[in-house]
Amino acid sequence: MSFSTMLSTMSAGMVRTALIFALTLIGSLPLGMVVALLRKSRFAPVRGFIRGFISIMRGTPLMLQLMVWYFGPYYLFGWNIGNWRFPAIITGFVLNYAAYFAEIYRGGIESIPAGQYEAAEVLGYTKFQTFMRIILPQVVKIIMPSVTNEVITLVKDTSLAFTLAYQEVFSLAKQISASQTSFMPFLVAGVFYFVANYLVEIVMAAIERSMDYYK
């Protein structure tokens, strides 16, 4: 197999990998904020449930979670899971990363001095206005380095989709490498992950610079 043919074959896997990455971010970033706010709920059962959810998501391997989400409906309810592979992958990734982002958000929110909430209340802001206009902009600035690390990790974690026989770039690299007895497909996959992470670093660094309002 020529290099151009191999690259063309692996391009479909690259698109699938990018799709997992994009959909996971779109789902987990806002869901993580919801989980973080529920984690601080005054209703004890809600706090307990969310703590349990975060503990399970962070305490068990993502690979295992993907298998549970895919095979679980069949073993528990006898459902036909023929078309469930990709939704199971996205569900597993979104919930797992939402738990990590939730803890990052929570750390950022709790780092804001209580005096800012009190000052906003004196000025007549509602709780929603206080959070959206005063707290959230500061939280985003504080948590950007941690979020960047998680996003970079996500790029590499997309390779775990091979667990469910989903042909993303790493799965295709393994198949081609086995059939051609060549290490080149792994090198191509490695370059793809490196370039993807490099682009993530550039984008996130640009966002951080745009928020450096002290200069």
Side-chain angles (χ1 to χ4, degrees), residues 90-137:
I90 299 303
T91 300
F93 270 93
V94 167
L95 292 178
N96 179 271
Y97 271 84
Y100 282 94
F101 284 133
E103 287 300 277
I104 292 173
Y105 293 150
R106 184 174 68 88
I109 293 171
E110 292 181 351
S111 70
I112 305 299
Q116 296 200 25
Y117 293 91
E118 296 167 358
E121 185 177 0
V122 170
L123 292 173
Y125 282 82
T126 65
K127 290 184 178 180
F128 179 78
Q129 290 173 327
T130 299
F131 182 78
M132 295 301 296
R133 298 183 182 181
I134 300 175
I135 305 303
L136 185 58

Side-chain angles (χ1 to χ4, degrees), residues 62-68 70-71 85 89 93 157-168 170-171 174:
L62 176 55
M63 182 184 296
L64 175 61
Q65 294 172 27
L66 291 174
M67 295 177 69
V68 168
Y70 182 59
F71 295 108
R85 179 175 285 105
I89 290 171
F93 270 93
D157 276 354
T158 54
S159 62
L160 293 176
F162 85 90
T163 306
L164 302 185
Y166 186 74
Q167 292 192 327
E168 40 70 55
F170 186 72
S171 297
K174 289 202 305 179

Side-chain angles (χ1 to χ4, degrees), residues 162 169-179 185-186:
F162 85 90
V169 64
F170 186 72
S171 297
L172 288 175
K174 289 202 305 179
Q175 291 178 10
I176 297 173
S177 179
S179 63
F186 289 117

Side-chain angles (χ1 to χ4, degrees), residues 6-48:
M6 178 185 65
L7 197 61
S8 176
T9 302
M10 294 182 65
S11 63
M14 295 176 186
V15 171
R16 296 189 186 104
T17 294
L19 186 60
I20 294 173
F21 172 79
L23 292 179
T24 299
L25 280 188
I26 291 172
S28 62
L29 284 171
L31 180 59
M33 180 58 72
V34 173
V35 173
L37 295 177
L38 291 176
R39 173 74 167 74
K40 296 174 66 65
S41 171
R42 295 181 179 180
F43 192 45
V46 172
R47 288 200 311 272

